[in-house]
Amino acid sequence: MTDQTEIQIYMKEALALAKLSLGLSSPNPPVGAVIEKDGEIVGEGFTQQIGGDHAEIVALAKAGDRAQGANMYVTMEPCSHYGRTPPCSDALIKAGIRRVFMAVTDPNPQVNGKGNTMLKQAGVETNIGSLSEEARDHYQAYFKYIKTGKPLLVAKYAMTLDGKIATKSGDSKWVTGERSRAIVHTIRSQMDAIITAPGTIRVDDPLLTARDSKGIPLSRQPLRIVVDSHGRTPKEAKIFSQPGDILIATGSEEAAAHFLGMGDNVSTLVVGNESGKVDLDKLLIELGNRGVLQIMTEAGETFLGALFDHQIPDQVMAFVAPSIVGGAESPSPVAGIGIEKIGDAFSIDNIVVDAIENDVLVRGRLKTWD
């Protein structure tokens, strides 16, 4: 029997592959798979774009005949049903895979243990739970999507050591260092969507694209969402000249009409409430219906405050720079109504702190969905 150390080594490789599927596979889960035989990796892969091969199938194709009698390490239970593609469990059985190690089961009601059962009934030895904690963290967006039909939202911001996102004059370039900004581009590339508001566009005029180290936009861009209740986003904003699709969520048909003729990559969605403002819950439901699993904010204190007032963020990602700005009028990351008592503050757990040159990145969860 393969010992626990070897199992974890191959599962870590599978999890690394799964990260390559982030932002690519939605609404399918981002899965990684490794096929090992006699201590050698003979096949590996990650889930492709919707309608494409799942991780297990990519790995099997690379392994070929060497899959016979081999072990597979996969970050999530193989599917057992016909969807856009045939069942992966059936493919593993036909390929002669001997043992399948899974990090977690798939909570999708169409699977949820059925893949494991199918394998076992065919004589394939199965094991569930290797690096399950890391896998559960990786799959928080997918877990939320399966449970609620809504995407997970990451509240990302950069601030100084005294909690400021800009000076009193509004200058914010740049709060954090070059390395932190490069990491943000990597994170953007792993997201299904980036969400912002017209205030940020008017003040910063950002591109909101995922770019490489040379500043060139990547071939795949996350959906850029502008929450603009009243149609106040400038038509000449740089965001409209960049590659990738843009969705403008408005509160009325009148506001949506402001963006007619903006280009084939620009669409609108009316999700207003009784007061004519964008209903954030309705927006999240519609985004889930469109297969969006994970969203990151690129916005100022007003929009972030509204999100927290509505208790929407699931995770926090805060870049902290070693500088002091000061000033009572200098904005902080989160405005809004806020809370009355410290005891009611949002509690963050599963905290990870990373040093990024002179900056610090603090990540944590506000909610868990597994």
Side-chain angles (χ1 to χ4, degrees):
M1 176 65 184
T2 307
D3 66 33
Q4 289 301 312
T5 300
E6 290 177 331
I7 293 171
Q8 290 191 4
I9 289 172
Y10 294 122
M11 192 62 78
K12 282 182 179 179
E13 176 64 20
L15 280 167
L17 289 164
K19 294 183 187 303
L20 299 177
S21 194
L22 286 169
L24 176 69
S25 65
S26 299
N28 288 333
V31 176
V34 169
I35 299 175
E36 168 266 327
K37 189 172 186 178
D38 299 327
E40 177 188 359
I41 293 178
V42 297
E44 59 183 20
F46 55 90
T47 301
Q48 302 299 298
Q49 287 180 311
I50 189 71
D53 287 337
H54 292 189
E56 300 93 322
I57 306 304
V58 176
L60 286 173
K62 292 181 179 179
D65 293 340
R66 292 177 294 177
Q68 180 74 37
N71 300 323
M72 171 168 280
Y73 303 82
V74 61
T75 56
M76 181 171 280
E77 174 187 14
C79 63
S80 55
H81 64 289
Y82 281 88
R84 293 180 177 88
T85 59
C88 290
S89 293
D90 190 43
L92 298 184
I93 294 167
K94 291 178 179 178
I97 291 291
R98 180 185 174 193
R99 289 178 292 192
V100 178
F101 297 89
M102 309 166 229
V104 293
T105 55
D106 187 343
N108 185 337
Q110 293 182 300
V111 186
N112 198 18
K114 297 184 181 74
N116 182 47
T117 299
M118 180 184 291
L119 292 167
K120 291 173 69 175
Q121 288 178 343
V124 179
E125 182 182 336
T126 66
N127 178 285
I128 303 173
S130 175
L131 298 185
S132 59
E133 185 175 346
E134 292 90 334
R136 286 196 298 269
D137 184 61
H138 172 72
Y139 285 116
Q140 285 298 302
Y142 178 70
F143 290 160
K144 180 182 180 181
Y145 175 75
I146 292 298
K147 285 188 176 183
T148 69
K150 301 175 186 176
L152 179 143
L153 189 136
V154 179
K156 189 276 294 182
Y157 53 86
M159 67 180 188
T160 59
L161 199 57
D162 59 337
K164 306 297 183 181
I165 61 173
T167 67
K168 61 184 179 181
S169 68
D171 181 40
S172 61
K173 294 183 178 180
W174 296 100
V175 171
T176 53
E178 185 175 345
R179 178 59 183 155
S180 291
R181 299 197 300 276
I183 288 175
V184 168
H185 282 285
T186 298
I187 298 169
R188 281 182 188 173
S189 72
Q190 297 172 340
M191 292 287 157
D192 295 315
I194 304 298
I195 193 166
T196 191
T200 297
I201 295 177
R202 289 198 301 269
V203 172
D204 295 335
D205 201 13
L207 304 179
L208 297 186
T209 50
R211 302 186 292 279
D212 64 18
S213 59
K214 297 180 181 179
I216 299 172
L218 302 178
S219 58
R220 181 209 162 266
Q221 291 294 326
L223 172 68
R224 284 164 291 164
I225 304 165
V226 183
V227 178
D228 187 351
S229 296
H230 306 296
R232 295 173 177 171
T233 301
K235 292 183 178 180
E236 65 274 12
K238 293 178 182 177
I239 189 174
F240 294 116
S241 64
Q242 300 303 304
D245 292 331
I246 299 172
L247 176 66
I248 303 176
T250 70
S252 66
E253 294 288 354
E254 181 181 3
H258 174 72
F259 301 101
L260 288 175
M262 292 295 294
D264 294 338
N265 67 324
V266 180
S267 60
T268 58
L269 174 66
V270 179
V271 281
N273 56 25
E274 293 180 354
S275 62
K277 293 184 178 180
V278 169
D279 185 313
L280 295 172
D281 193 59
K282 287 182 181 178
L283 173 59
L284 291 177
I285 291 172
E286 177 57 31
L287 291 172
N289 291 338
R290 298 183 180 202
V292 174
L293 297 192
Q294 189 163 225
I295 303 171
M296 184 173 73
T297 63
E298 296 272 5
E301 72 278 16
T302 300
F303 185 60
L304 272 179
L307 291 173
F308 275 97
D309 286 343
H310 287 82
Q311 300 184 0
I312 289 176
D314 300 285
Q315 297 180 3
V316 170
M317 187 177 294
F319 290 84
V320 184
S323 57
I324 304 292
V325 167
E329 297 178 1
S330 301
S332 62
V334 183
I337 298 172
I339 59 169
E340 295 291 336
K341 299 180 180 180
I342 287 293
D344 296 328
F346 291 93
S347 179
I348 300 172
D349 63 12
N350 200 42
I351 297 172
V352 177
V353 180
D354 295 314
I356 305 172
E357 293 184 344
N358 292 329
D359 300 332
V360 174
L361 171 58
V362 181
R363 294 174 289 157
R365 293 190 307 211
L366 294 161
K367 307 169 189 175
T368 181
W369 293 99
D370 55 343

